[in-house]
């Protein structure tokens, strides 16, 4: 996948016991469909520069505190390309790393889409009347997910 690097911030810079330095950066990367945070470490940091463009190979999606992160592990590769080869604008308003995800037990919960909001409900606390209406926001057992 080819993406543009919007911003790069350092998250960790620590000297380890074996006297090597552990550095972790987060880069906001994206294309015309949206953007996501890419976690980079080690030798990958050299290829990721704000305003540049990169090719990501064998990436994976990880969850970090309920939020999506893109990562390239030891089997993946990050290669810089000339920025003029990627002229598309990044769709900043569709940042997948700003959406919080929650693991839901399929046996005891249901997702109710009320149009503007998504509500997670615990069906073990929902009355039969609430189940019929599929709206538990008034019963106090719903939790808004943004």
């Amino acid at each position: 996948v080819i993406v543009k690097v919007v911003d790069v911030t350092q998250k960790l810079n620590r000297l380890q016991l074996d006297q090597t330095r552990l550095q972790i950066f987060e880069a906001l990367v994206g294309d015309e469909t949206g953007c996501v945070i890419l976690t980079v470490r080690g030798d990958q940091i050299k290829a990721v520069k704000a305003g540049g463009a990169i090719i990501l190979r064998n990436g994976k999606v990880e969850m970090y505190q309920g939020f999506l992160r893109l990562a390239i592990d030891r089997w993946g590769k990050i290669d810089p390309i000339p920025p003029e080869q990627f002229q598309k604008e990044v769709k900043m308003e569709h940042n997948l790393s700003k959406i919080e995800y929650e693991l839901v037990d399929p046996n005891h919960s249901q997702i109710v889409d009320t149009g503007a909001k998504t509500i997670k409900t615990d069906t073990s606390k929902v009355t039969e009347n609430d189940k019929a209406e599929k709206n538990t926001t008034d019963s106090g057992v719903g939790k808004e997910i943004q």
Side-chain angles (χ1 to χ4, degrees):
V1 113
I2 300 175
V3 293
K4 183 176 185 176
V5 180
V6 178
D7 187 35
V8 180
T9 57
Q10 187 174 27
K11 292 297 177 180
L12 182 67
N13 185 5
R14 181 185 322 160
L15 189 61
Q16 299 183 91
L17 294 175
D18 62 357
Q19 299 304 309
T20 60
R21 186 151 302 276
L22 174 63
Q23 292 183 316
I24 298 177
F25 286 74
E26 286 185 347
L28 183 63
V29 299
D31 60 13
E32 71 277 3
T33 62
C35 57
V36 67
I37 292 177
L38 170 69
T39 303
V40 288
R41 57 186 80 219
D43 293 336
Q44 300 171 342
I45 296 168
K46 298 176 207 166
V48 181
K49 304 290 182 214
I54 54 176
I55 298 175
L56 302 175
R57 292 185 177 92
N58 293 333
K60 65 180 181 175
V61 175
E62 297 178 334
M63 296 299 290
Y64 176 72
Q65 297 179 348
F67 296 92
L68 284 180
R69 295 287 190 268
L70 186 60
I72 308 297
D73 59 16
R74 62 180 167 216
W75 294 282
K77 191 172 183 182
I78 300 176
D79 288 319
I81 61 171
E84 55 271 4
Q85 288 186 9
F86 188 79
Q87 294 296 322
K88 300 172 185 170
E89 288 297 317
V90 176
K91 187 175 182 181
M92 298 294 292
E93 59 273 5
H94 189 66
N95 188 339
L96 295 175
S97 293
K98 286 190 175 183
I99 301 170
E100 184 174 8
Y101 295 89
E102 182 175 18
L103 185 60
V104 178
D105 182 0
N107 297 322
H108 294 90
S109 298
Q110 66 185 22
I111 300 295
V112 179
D113 190 0
T114 60
K117 297 178 183 174
T118 301
I119 307 295
K120 175 195 159 279
T121 62
D122 183 352
T123 56
S124 64
K125 297 179 186 174
V126 177
T127 65
E128 289 302 317
N129 201 17
D130 289 332
K131 286 182 184 178
E133 293 178 13
K134 290 199 174 199
N135 184 354
T136 61
T137 56
D138 295 333
S139 66
V141 296
K143 178 183 175 190
E144 182 177 342
I145 302 172
Q146 294 184 5

